[in-house]
Amino acid sequence: GRKGCPEQGQKRRAGLRLTLPMRPSDLPPLRDVIARHGLQATKALGQNFLLDEQLLARIAAIPGDLDGERVFEVGPGPGGLTRAALRAGAHVTVVEMDRRCIPALEELAAAFPGQLRIIEGDATQVDARALVGDGAHIIANLPYNVGTHLLVGWLSAQWQPWWKSLT
């Protein structure tokens, strides 16, 4: 490209050139994503970021084969569990309240075209069933401050539940 112009797939921020991942194999380690975006878990939002990608892959495997399955995730933060579900072939809808995490999630959406839908908002205020439909899997490292409220709602719904699995 021209001198001073970012190449395709790159952005300039504060004088730095950042290459946005365009393929799943290009994704940097989660620690790097967190550092690059200046993220840290916020106690007020009940956040706890899981960083061990092997553990995250094992968690994403609990519901079984996710290839082609619909997944609903609450509070993805920088996207560790999201990344594992996407790598397993899932079509993931995330609801994230923390605006600081949205750019990291957008990078995942670029790396997994058509597989990730990002909703910025409060998970207690969205209709998960309407977003992902019957038979979707719910996976989450639930934020502490909304976990009980969400679980009670999901578990006290009319039996048979609308979701296929809850992890």
Side-chain angles (χ1 to χ4, degrees), residues 124-147:
T124 65
Q125 303 299 310
V126 301
D127 182 346
R129 185 179 191 175
L131 286 172
V132 294
D134 288 351
H137 299 273
I138 299 173
I139 63 170
N141 173 22
L142 287 174
Y144 302 124
N145 57 350
V146 297

Side-chain angles (χ1 to χ4, degrees), residues 13-83:
R13 284 200 185 132
L16 299 174
R17 180 181 280 194
L18 302 176
T19 301
L20 296 178
M22 289 296 152
R23 296 182 309 258
S25 60
D26 294 336
L27 292 172
L30 283 167
R31 286 188 192 284
D32 294 354
V33 171
I34 289 167
R36 185 163 32 87
H37 291 285
L39 300 174
Q40 62 184 78
T42 303
K43 198 173 195 177
L45 293 176
Q47 294 172 321
N48 174 33
F49 298 156
L50 298 176
L51 302 179
D52 183 328
E53 293 198 41
Q54 289 181 347
L55 172 64
L56 291 162
R58 288 184 11 223
I59 293 169
I62 290 171
D65 184 6
L66 291 179
D67 191 25
E69 294 284 316
R70 290 168 288 115
V71 168
F72 179 72
E73 182 184 2
V74 174
L81 190 53
T82 312
R83 178 189 293 212

